[in-house]
Amino acid sequence: MPDLVQFGYCSRRILVQESADITWLGLYSLVEQSGMRGLSLMRVPELDKLTEMVNSHSPDVLLLSSVGRKVEILPLLHQLSDIMTYHPLLHIVVLLKQEMPHLSSLLYGFGVATIFSQPPSMKALTDQLGASPSRLVRKKARPLTPQERNVAKSLLMGYSVSRLARVSGKNVRTVSTQKQSVIQKLNMNNPGELQVLGGRLMATE
């Protein structure tokens, strides 16, 4: 199965991050069975090349099809942070294979627009891949600012506020304020939940 498949004249570009050949084949078959036309499906097997492929091909939709199983969350957040800096309107769809508290809110905060935590129906998925931008479901949570994304990434990796302030050259009070904003946007009740989530992600990976 080639890593680029077109269905008729290409009017929408969909970039799929998927390392497993059989899953890529299944997505191709799903789109083929749906009868959708005007789509170009491109595949990037390696997560570390995701930002490069988005910059090169400027897709309309980014589909992450194995988050929590084949795709590690912390490296993915670094990629999403870079992508959202230069492609803030990119529609990102995630098929979440492993759910844990606050993970969906975290992904929404890093720019994901739609999350399926259960296998979606063919119609639900193809609606997200083929709908016009005006009909796409928008984000269900407030996205983090670039500064807040950097704070969130560092805290998830175990940095303390004081260490992050020292490394970034910022005032401790500034970093603490940004941390509080991150917690509120991710719908967390207290700062400890962010550290717990980070510990679970690192343990999983």
Side-chain angles (χ1 to χ4, degrees), residues 30-114:
L30 184 148
V31 173
E32 185 178 45
Q33 292 168 18
S34 73
M36 297 171 66
R37 290 294 177 263
L39 297 183
S40 172
L41 286 181
M42 298 170 285
R43 176 195 184 196
V44 51
E46 302 88 1
L47 178 61
D48 59 359
K49 295 184 179 179
L50 185 59
T51 302
E52 177 186 336
M53 287 289 287
V54 170
N55 291 338
S56 299
H57 297 281
S58 298
D60 300 293
V61 178
L62 172 60
L63 174 61
L64 306 169
S65 58
S66 298
V67 174
R69 177 172 57 84
K70 298 290 186 180
V71 177
E72 297 179 351
I73 304 296
L74 291 176
L76 174 62
L77 294 180
H78 286 281
Q79 296 275 351
L80 290 178
S81 186
D82 292 339
I83 288 169
M84 293 311 297
T85 299
Y86 300 103
H87 306 273
L89 299 180
L90 176 62
H91 188 75
I92 304 175
V93 179
V94 164
L95 305 185
L96 191 60
K97 303 298 184 181
Q98 177 184 358
E99 183 59 278
M100 61 180 65
H102 302 300
L103 180 55
S104 292
S105 293
L106 181 64
L107 292 169
Y108 285 131
F110 274 75
V112 172
T114 303

Coordinates of all heavy atoms in Angstrom, one line a residue, residues 30-114:
L30 N -11.6 2.2 4.4 CA -12.8 2.9 5.0 C -13.1 4.1 4.1 O -14.3 4.3 3.7 CB -12.5 3.4 6.4 CG -13.6 4.1 7.2 CD1 -13.5 3.8 8.6 CD2 -13.6 5.6 6.9
V31 N -12.2 4.9 3.7 CA -12.4 6.0 2.8 C -12.9 5.6 1.4 O -13.8 6.1 0.9 CB -11.2 6.9 2.7 CG1 -11.4 8.0 1.6 CG2 -10.8 7.5 4.0
E32 N -12.3 4.5 0.9 CA -12.7 3.9 -0.4 C -14.2 3.5 -0.3 O -15.0 3.8 -1.2 CB -11.8 2.8 -0.8 CG -12.1 2.2 -2.2 CD -11.2 1.1 -2.5 OE1 -10.9 0.2 -1.6 OE2 -10.6 1.1 -3.6
Q33 N -14.6 2.8 0.8 CA -16.0 2.3 0.9 C -17.0 3.4 1.1 O -18.1 3.3 0.7 CB -16.1 1.3 2.1 CG -15.3 0.0 1.9 CD -15.2 -0.8 3.2 OE1 -15.9 -0.5 4.1 NE2 -14.3 -1.7 3.2
S34 N -16.5 4.6 1.7 CA -17.4 5.7 1.9 C -17.8 6.4 0.6 O -18.8 7.1 0.6 CB -16.7 6.7 2.9 OG -15.7 7.4 2.1
G35 N -17.1 6.2 -0.4 CA -17.4 6.8 -1.7 C -17.0 8.3 -1.8 O -17.4 9.0 -2.7
M36 N -16.2 8.7 -0.8 CA -15.7 10.1 -0.8 C -14.8 10.3 -2.0 O -14.0 9.5 -2.3 CB -15.1 10.4 0.5 CG -16.0 10.3 1.7 SD -15.1 10.5 3.3 CE -14.5 12.2 3.2
R37 N -14.9 11.5 -2.6 CA -14.0 11.8 -3.6 C -13.3 13.2 -3.3 O -13.8 13.9 -2.5 CB -14.7 11.9 -5.0 CG -15.2 10.5 -5.5 CD -14.0 9.7 -5.8 NE -14.3 8.3 -6.3 CZ -14.3 7.3 -5.5 NH1 -14.0 7.4 -4.2 NH2 -14.6 6.1 -5.9
G38 N -12.3 13.5 -4.1 CA -11.6 14.8 -3.9 C -10.7 14.8 -2.7 O -10.3 15.8 -2.2
L39 N -10.2 13.6 -2.3 CA -9.4 13.5 -1.1 C -8.0 13.0 -1.5 O -7.9 12.1 -2.4 CB -9.9 12.6 0.0 CG -11.2 12.9 0.6 CD1 -11.6 11.9 1.7 CD2 -11.2 14.3 1.2
S40 N -7.0 13.4 -0.8 CA -5.6 12.9 -1.0 C -5.2 12.4 0.4 O -5.1 13.3 1.3 CB -4.7 13.9 -1.5 OG -3.4 13.5 -1.5
L41 N -5.0 11.1 0.6 CA -4.5 10.6 1.9 C -3.0 10.4 1.8 O -2.5 9.8 0.9 CB -5.1 9.2 2.1 CG -6.6 9.2 2.6 CD1 -7.0 7.7 2.8 CD2 -6.8 10.0 3.8
M42 N -2.3 11.0 2.7 CA -0.8 10.9 2.8 C -0.5 10.3 4.2 O -1.1 10.6 5.2 CB -0.2 12.3 2.7 CG -0.4 13.0 1.4 SD 0.2 14.7 1.4 CE -1.1 15.5 2.4
R43 N 0.5 9.5 4.2 CA 0.9 8.8 5.5 C 2.3 9.2 5.9 O 3.2 9.2 5.1 CB 0.8 7.3 5.3 CG 1.2 6.5 6.5 CD 1.5 5.0 6.0 NE 1.8 4.1 7.1 CZ 2.3 2.9 7.0 NH1 2.6 2.5 5.8 NH2 2.6 2.2 8.0
V44 N 2.4 9.4 7.2 CA 3.7 9.6 7.8 C 3.9 8.6 8.9 O 3.2 8.6 9.9 CB 4.0 11.0 8.3 CG1 2.8 11.5 9.2 CG2 5.3 11.1 9.0
P45 N 4.7 7.5 8.7 CA 4.8 6.5 9.7 C 5.5 6.9 11.0 O 5.2 6.5 12.0 CB 5.6 5.4 9.0 CG 5.5 5.7 7.5 CD 5.4 7.2 7.4
E46 N 6.6 7.8 10.8 CA 7.4 8.1 12.0 C 6.9 9.4 12.6 O 6.7 10.4 12.0 CB 8.8 8.3 11.5 CG 9.5 7.1 10.9 CD 9.2 7.1 9.4 OE1 8.6 8.0 8.9 OE2 9.7 6.1 8.7
L47 N 6.7 9.4 13.9 CA 6.2 10.5 14.6 C 7.1 11.7 14.6 O 6.7 12.9 14.5 CB 5.9 10.2 16.1 CG 5.4 11.3 17.0 CD1 4.1 11.9 16.5 CD2 5.3 10.8 18.5
D48 N 8.4 11.4 14.6 CA 9.4 12.5 14.6 C 9.5 13.3 13.3 O 10.1 14.3 13.2 CB 10.8 12.0 15.0 CG 11.3 11.0 14.0 OD1 10.6 10.6 13.1 OD2 12.5 10.5 14.3
K49 N 8.8 12.8 12.3 CA 8.7 13.5 11.0 C 7.4 14.2 10.8 O 7.2 14.8 9.7 CB 9.0 12.6 9.8 CG 10.4 12.0 9.8 CD 10.7 11.1 8.6 CE 12.1 10.6 8.6 NZ 12.4 9.7 7.5
L50 N 6.6 14.2 11.8 CA 5.2 14.8 11.6 C 5.2 16.3 11.3 O 4.6 16.7 10.4 CB 4.4 14.5 12.9 CG 2.9 14.9 12.9 CD1 2.2 14.2 11.8 CD2 2.3 14.6 14.3
T51 N 6.0 17.0 12.1 CA 6.0 18.5 11.8 C 6.6 18.8 10.5 O 6.1 19.7 9.7 CB 6.9 19.2 12.9 OG1 6.3 18.9 14.2 CG2 6.9 20.7 12.7
E52 N 7.6 18.1 10.1 CA 8.2 18.3 8.7 C 7.2 18.0 7.6 O 7.1 18.8 6.7 CB 9.4 17.3 8.6 CG 10.1 17.3 7.3 CD 11.2 16.3 7.1 OE1 11.7 15.8 8.2 OE2 11.5 15.9 6.0
M53 N 6.4 16.9 7.8 CA 5.4 16.6 6.7 C 4.3 17.7 6.7 O 3.8 18.0 5.6 CB 4.8 15.2 7.0 CG 5.8 14.1 6.7 SD 6.0 13.9 4.9 CE 4.5 13.2 4.5
V54 N 3.9 18.1 7.9 CA 2.8 19.2 7.9 C 3.4 20.4 7.2 O 2.7 21.1 6.4 CB 2.4 19.5 9.3 CG1 1.5 20.7 9.4 CG2 1.7 18.3 9.9
N55 N 4.6 20.8 7.5 CA 5.2 22.0 6.9 C 5.3 21.9 5.4 O 5.1 22.8 4.6 CB 6.5 22.3 7.5 CG 6.4 22.8 9.0 OD1 5.4 23.3 9.4 ND2 7.5 22.7 9.7
S56 N 5.7 20.6 4.9 CA 5.9 20.4 3.5 C 4.6 20.3 2.7 O 4.6 20.8 1.6 CB 6.7 19.1 3.3 OG 7.9 19.1 4.0
H57 N 3.6 19.7 3.3 CA 2.4 19.4 2.5 C 1.2 20.3 2.8 O 0.1 20.2 2.1 CB 2.0 18.0 2.6 CG 3.1 17.0 2.1 ND1 3.2 16.8 0.7 CD2 4.1 16.3 2.7 CE1 4.2 16.0 0.5 NE2 4.8 15.7 1.7
S58 N 1.2 21.0 4.0 CA 0.1 21.9 4.4 C -1.3 21.2 4.3 O -2.1 21.6 3.5 CB 0.1 23.2 3.5 OG 1.3 23.9 3.7
P59 N -1.4 20.1 5.0 CA -2.7 19.4 4.9 C -3.9 20.2 5.5 O -3.7 21.1 6.2 CB -2.4 18.1 5.7 CG -1.4 18.5 6.7 CD -0.5 19.5 6.0
D60 N -5.1 19.8 5.0 CA -6.3 20.4 5.6 C -6.7 19.7 6.9 O -7.3 20.3 7.8 CB -7.5 20.2 4.6 CG -7.2 21.0 3.3 OD1 -7.1 22.2 3.3 OD2 -7.0 20.3 2.3
V61 N -6.4 18.4 7.0 CA -6.7 17.6 8.2 C -5.5 16.8 8.6 O -4.8 16.2 7.7 CB -7.9 16.7 7.9 CG1 -8.2 15.8 9.2 CG2 -9.1 17.5 7.5
L62 N -5.2 16.7 9.9 CA -4.2 15.8 10.4 C -4.9 14.7 11.2 O -5.6 15.1 12.2 CB -3.2 16.6 11.3 CG -2.2 15.7 12.0 CD1 -1.3 14.9 11.1 CD2 -1.3 16.6 12.9
L63 N -4.8 13.5 10.9 CA -5.4 12.4 11.6 C -4.3 11.6 12.3 O -3.4 11.0 11.7 CB -6.2 11.5 10.6 CG -6.7 10.2 11.2 CD1 -7.8 10.5 12.3 CD2 -7.4 9.3 10.1
L64 N -4.4 11.5 13.6 CA -3.5 10.7 14.5 C -4.3 9.5 14.9 O -5.2 9.6 15.8 CB -3.1 11.6 15.7 CG -2.5 12.9 15.3 CD1 -2.3 13.8 16.5 CD2 -1.1 12.8 14.6
S65 N -4.0 8.4 14.3 CA -4.9 7.2 14.4 C -4.6 6.2 15.5 O -5.3 5.3 15.7 CB -5.0 6.5 13.0 OG -3.7 6.1 12.6
S66 N -3.5 6.4 16.2 CA -3.1 5.4 17.2 C -2.6 6.0 18.5 O -1.7 5.5 19.1 CB -2.1 4.4 16.7 OG -2.6 3.7 15.6
V67 N -3.1 7.1 18.9 CA -2.6 7.8 20.1 C -2.9 7.0 21.3 O -4.0 6.6 21.6 CB -3.2 9.2 20.2 CG1 -2.8 9.9 21.5 CG2 -2.9 10.1 19.0
G68 N -1.8 6.8 22.1 CA -2.0 6.0 23.3 C -1.6 4.5 23.1 O -1.5 3.8 24.1
R69 N -1.4 4.1 21.9 CA -1.0 2.7 21.7 C 0.3 2.7 20.9 O 1.3 2.3 21.4 CB -2.1 2.0 20.9 CG -1.7 0.6 20.5 CD -2.9 -0.2 19.9 NE -3.4 0.4 18.7 CZ -2.9 0.3 17.5 NH1 -1.9 -0.5 17.3 NH2 -3.5 0.9 16.5
K70 N 0.3 3.2 19.7 CA 1.6 3.3 18.9 C 2.3 4.6 19.1 O 3.4 4.7 18.8 CB 1.3 3.0 17.4 CG 0.7 1.6 17.1 CD 1.7 0.6 17.3 CE 1.1 -0.8 16.8 NZ 2.1 -1.9 17.0
V71 N 1.5 5.6 19.5 CA 2.0 7.0 19.6 C 2.2 7.4 21.0 O 1.2 7.4 21.8 CB 1.1 8.0 18.8 CG1 1.6 9.4 19.0 CG2 1.0 7.6 17.3
E72 N 3.4 7.7 21.4 CA 3.7 8.2 22.8 C 3.2 9.6 22.9 O 3.4 10.5 22.0 CB 5.2 8.1 23.1 CG 5.7 6.6 23.0 CD 7.1 6.5 23.3 OE1 7.8 7.6 23.4 OE2 7.6 5.4 23.5
I73 N 2.6 10.0 24.1 CA 1.9 11.2 24.2 C 2.9 12.4 24.4 O 2.7 13.4 23.7 CB 1.0 11.2 25.5 CG1 0.0 10.1 25.3 CG2 0.3 12.5 25.6 CD1 -1.0 10.2 24.2
L74 N 3.9 12.3 25.2 CA 4.8 13.4 25.4 C 5.6 13.9 24.2 O 5.6 15.1 23.9 CB 5.8 13.1 26.6 CG 5.2 13.0 28.0 CD1 6.2 12.6 29.0 CD2 4.5 14.3 28.4
P75 N 6.2 12.9 23.4 CA 6.7 13.4 22.1 C 5.7 14.0 21.2 O 6.0 14.9 20.4 CB 7.3 12.1 21.5 CG 7.6 11.2 22.7 CD 6.5 11.5 23.7
L76 N 4.5 13.4 21.2 CA 3.4 14.0 20.4 C 3.1 15.4 20.7 O 2.9 16.3 19.9 CB 2.2 13.1 20.5 CG 0.9 13.7 19.7 CD1 1.2 13.8 18.2 CD2 -0.3 12.8 20.0
L77 N 3.1 15.7 22.0 CA 2.8 17.1 22.5 C 3.8 18.1 22.0 O 3.5 19.2 21.6 CB 2.7 17.2 24.0 CG 1.5 16.4 24.6 CD1 1.6 16.5 26.2 CD2 0.2 16.9 24.1
H78 N 5.1 17.7 21.9 CA 6.1 18.5 21.4 C 5.9 18.8 19.9 O 6.0 20.0 19.4 CB 7.5 17.9 21.6 CG 8.0 17.9 23.0 ND1 8.6 19.0 23.5 CD2 8.0 17.0 23.9 CE1 8.9 18.8 24.8 NE2 8.6 17.5 25.1
Q79 N 5.5 17.8 19.2 CA 5.2 18.0 17.7 C 3.9 18.9 17.6 O 4.0 19.8 16.7 CB 4.9 16.6 17.1 CG 6.1 15.7 17.1 CD 7.0 15.9 15.9 OE1 6.7 16.6 15.0 NE2 8.2 15.2 15.9
L80 N 2.9 18.6 18.3 CA 1.7 19.4 18.2 C 1.9 20.9 18.6 O 1.4 21.8 17.9 CB 0.6 18.9 19.1 CG 0.0 17.5 18.7 CD1 -1.1 17.1 19.7 CD2 -0.7 17.6 17.3
S81 N 2.8 21.1 19.6 CA 3.1 22.5 19.9 C 3.8 23.2 18.8 O 3.4 24.4 18.5 CB 4.0 22.5 21.2 OG 4.2 23.8 21.6
D82 N 4.7 22.6 18.1 CA 5.4 23.2 17.0 C 4.4 23.4 15.8 O 4.4 24.4 15.2 CB 6.5 22.3 16.5 CG 7.7 22.2 17.5 OD1 7.8 23.2 18.3 OD2 8.5 21.3 17.4
I83 N 3.6 22.4 15.6 CA 2.6 22.5 14.5 C 1.6 23.6 14.7 O 1.3 24.4 13.8 CB 1.9 21.2 14.3 CG1 2.8 20.1 13.7 CG2 0.6 21.3 13.4 CD1 2.2 18.7 13.8
M84 N 1.1 23.8 15.9 CA 0.1 24.8 16.2 C 0.7 26.2 16.1 O 0.0 27.2 15.9 CB -0.6 24.6 17.5 CG -1.4 23.3 17.6 SD -2.6 23.2 16.2 CE -3.6 24.6 16.4
T85 N 2.0 26.3 16.3 CA 2.7 27.6 16.2 C 2.5 28.2 14.8 O 2.3 29.4 14.5 CB 4.1 27.5 16.6 OG1 4.2 27.1 18.0 CG2 4.8 28.9 16.4
Y86 N 2.7 27.3 13.8 CA 2.7 27.7 12.4 C 1.4 27.4 11.6 O 1.2 27.9 10.5 CB 3.9 27.1 11.7 CG 5.2 27.6 12.3 CD1 5.9 26.7 13.1 CD2 5.7 28.9 12.1 CE1 7.1 27.1 13.7 CE2 6.9 29.3 12.7 CZ 7.6 28.4 13.5 OH 8.8 28.8 14.1
H87 N 0.6 26.5 12.1 CA -0.6 26.0 11.4 C -1.8 26.0 12.4 O -2.4 25.0 12.7 CB -0.4 24.6 10.8 CG 0.8 24.5 10.0 ND1 0.7 24.8 8.6 CD2 2.1 24.1 10.2 CE1 1.9 24.6 8.1 NE2 2.8 24.2 9.0
P88 N -2.1 27.2 13.0 CA -3.1 27.2 14.1 C -4.5 26.8 13.6 O -5.3 26.5 14.5 CB -3.1 28.7 14.5 CG -2.6 29.4 13.3 CD -1.6 28.5 12.7
L89 N -4.8 26.8 12.3 CA -6.1 26.5 11.8 C -6.2 25.0 11.3 O -7.3 24.6 10.9 CB -6.6 27.4 10.7 CG -6.7 28.9 11.1 CD1 -7.1 29.8 9.9 CD2 -7.6 29.1 12.3
L90 N -5.2 24.3 11.4 CA -5.2 22.9 11.0 C -6.2 22.1 11.9 O -6.2 22.2 13.1 CB -3.8 22.3 11.2 CG -3.6 20.8 10.8 CD1 -4.0 20.5 9.4 CD2 -2.2 20.3 11.1
H91 N -7.0 21.3 11.2 CA -8.0 20.5 11.9 C -7.4 19.2 12.2 O -7.0 18.4 11.4 CB -9.2 20.3 11.0 CG -10.4 19.6 11.7 ND1 -11.2 20.3 12.6 CD2 -10.8 18.3 11.7 CE1 -12.1 19.4 13.1 NE2 -11.9 18.3 12.5
I92 N -7.2 18.9 13.5 CA -6.5 17.7 14.0 C -7.6 16.8 14.7 O -8.3 17.2 15.5 CB -5.4 18.1 15.1 CG1 -4.5 19.1 14.4 CG2 -4.7 16.8 15.5 CD1 -3.4 19.6 15.4
V93 N -7.6 15.6 14.2 CA -8.5 14.5 14.7 C -7.6 13.4 15.3 O -6.6 13.0 14.7 CB -9.3 13.9 13.5 CG1 -10.3 12.9 14.0 CG2 -10.1 15.1 12.8
V94 N -8.0 13.0 16.5 CA -7.3 11.9 17.2 C -8.2 10.7 17.5 O -9.4 10.9 17.9 CB -6.8 12.5 18.6 CG1 -6.4 11.3 19.5 CG2 -5.6 13.4 18.4
L95 N -7.7 9.5 17.2 CA -8.3 8.3 17.6 C -7.5 7.8 18.8 O -6.4 7.4 18.7 CB -8.2 7.2 16.5 CG -8.8 7.6 15.1 CD1 -8.8 6.4 14.2 CD2 -10.2 8.2 15.2
L96 N -8.2 8.0 20.0 CA -7.5 7.7 21.2 C -7.7 6.3 21.6 O -8.8 5.8 21.9 CB -8.1 8.7 22.3 CG -7.3 8.8 23.6 CD1 -5.9 9.3 23.4 CD2 -8.1 9.7 24.6
K97 N -6.5 5.6 21.8 CA -6.6 4.1 22.1 C -6.5 3.9 23.6 O -6.9 2.8 24.0 CB -5.4 3.4 21.4 CG -5.3 3.6 19.9 CD -6.6 3.0 19.2 CE -6.5 3.1 17.7 NZ -7.6 2.5 17.1
Q98 N -6.0 4.9 24.3 CA -5.9 4.7 25.8 C -6.4 6.0 26.5 O -5.8 7.0 26.3 CB -4.5 4.4 26.2 CG -4.3 4.2 27.7 CD -2.8 4.0 28.0 OE1 -2.0 4.0 27.2 NE2 -2.5 4.0 29.3
E99 N -7.4 5.9 27.3 CA -8.0 7.0 27.9 C -7.5 7.0 29.4 O -7.2 6.0 30.0 CB -9.5 6.9 27.9 CG -10.2 8.1 28.6 CD -9.8 9.5 27.9 OE1 -8.8 10.0 28.2 OE2 -10.6 10.0 27.1
M100 N -7.2 8.2 29.9 CA -6.9 8.4 31.3 C -7.4 9.8 31.7 O -7.6 10.7 30.8 CB -5.4 8.3 31.5 CG -4.5 9.2 30.8 SD -2.7 9.0 31.2 CE -2.4 7.4 30.5
P101 N -7.6 10.1 33.0 CA -8.1 11.4 33.4 C -7.3 12.5 32.8 O -6.1 12.6 32.9 CB -8.0 11.3 34.9 CG -8.1 9.8 35.2 CD -7.4 9.2 34.1
H102 N -8.1 13.5 32.3 CA -7.5 14.8 31.8 C -6.7 14.7 30.5 O -6.3 15.7 29.9 CB -6.7 15.5 32.8 CG -7.4 15.8 34.1 ND1 -8.5 16.5 34.1 CD2 -7.1 15.4 35.4 CE1 -8.9 16.6 35.4 NE2 -8.1 15.9 36.2
L103 N -6.6 13.5 29.9 CA -5.8 13.3 28.7 C -6.5 14.0 27.5 O -5.8 14.7 26.7 CB -5.5 11.9 28.4 CG -4.7 11.6 27.1 CD1 -3.4 12.3 27.1 CD2 -4.5 10.1 26.9
S104 N -7.8 13.9 27.4 CA -8.5 14.5 26.3 C -8.4 16.0 26.4 O -8.1 16.7 25.4 CB -10.0 14.1 26.3 OG -10.1 12.7 26.0
S105 N -8.6 16.6 27.6 CA -8.4 18.0 27.8 C -7.0 18.5 27.4 O -6.9 19.6 26.9 CB -8.7 18.4 29.3 OG -10.1 18.2 29.6
L106 N -6.0 17.7 27.8 CA -4.7 18.0 27.4 C -4.5 18.1 25.9 O -3.9 19.1 25.4 CB -3.7 17.0 28.0 CG -2.2 17.2 27.8 CD1 -1.7 18.5 28.4 CD2 -1.4 16.0 28.3
L107 N -5.0 17.1 25.2 CA -4.9 17.1 23.7 C -5.7 18.3 23.1 O -5.2 18.9 22.2 CB -5.4 15.8 23.2 CG -4.5 14.6 23.5 CD1 -5.3 13.3 23.2 CD2 -3.2 14.6 22.8
Y108 N -6.9 18.6 23.6 CA -7.6 19.8 23.2 C -6.8 21.0 23.4 O -6.7 21.9 22.5 CB -8.9 19.9 23.9 CG -10.0 18.9 23.4 CD1 -10.7 18.2 24.3 CD2 -10.3 18.7 22.1 CE1 -11.7 17.3 23.9 CE2 -11.3 17.8 21.7 CZ -12.0 17.1 22.6 OH -12.9 16.2 22.2
G109 N -6.1 21.1 24.5 CA -5.3 22.3 24.8 C -4.2 22.5 23.9 O -3.7 23.6 23.7
F110 N -3.7 21.4 23.3 CA -2.6 21.4 22.4 C -3.0 21.5 20.9 O -2.3 21.2 20.0 CB -1.6 20.3 22.6 CG -0.6 20.5 23.7 CD1 -0.9 20.5 25.0 CD2 0.7 20.8 23.3 CE1 0.0 20.7 26.0 CE2 1.7 21.1 24.3 CZ 1.3 21.0 25.6
G111 N -4.3 21.8 20.7 CA -4.8 22.1 19.4 C -5.6 21.1 18.7 O -6.1 21.3 17.6
V112 N -5.8 19.9 19.3 CA -6.7 18.9 18.7 C -8.1 19.4 18.7 O -8.6 20.0 19.7 CB -6.6 17.6 19.5 CG1 -7.6 16.5 19.1 CG2 -5.2 17.0 19.4
A113 N -8.8 19.2 17.6 CA -10.2 19.6 17.4 C -11.2 18.6 17.8 O -12.3 18.8 18.4 CB -10.4 20.1 16.0
T114 N -10.9 17.3 17.4 CA -11.9 16.2 17.6 C -11.2 15.0 18.1 O -10.1 14.6 17.6 CB -12.6 15.9 16.3 OG1 -13.2 17.0 15.8 CG2 -13.7 14.8 16.5

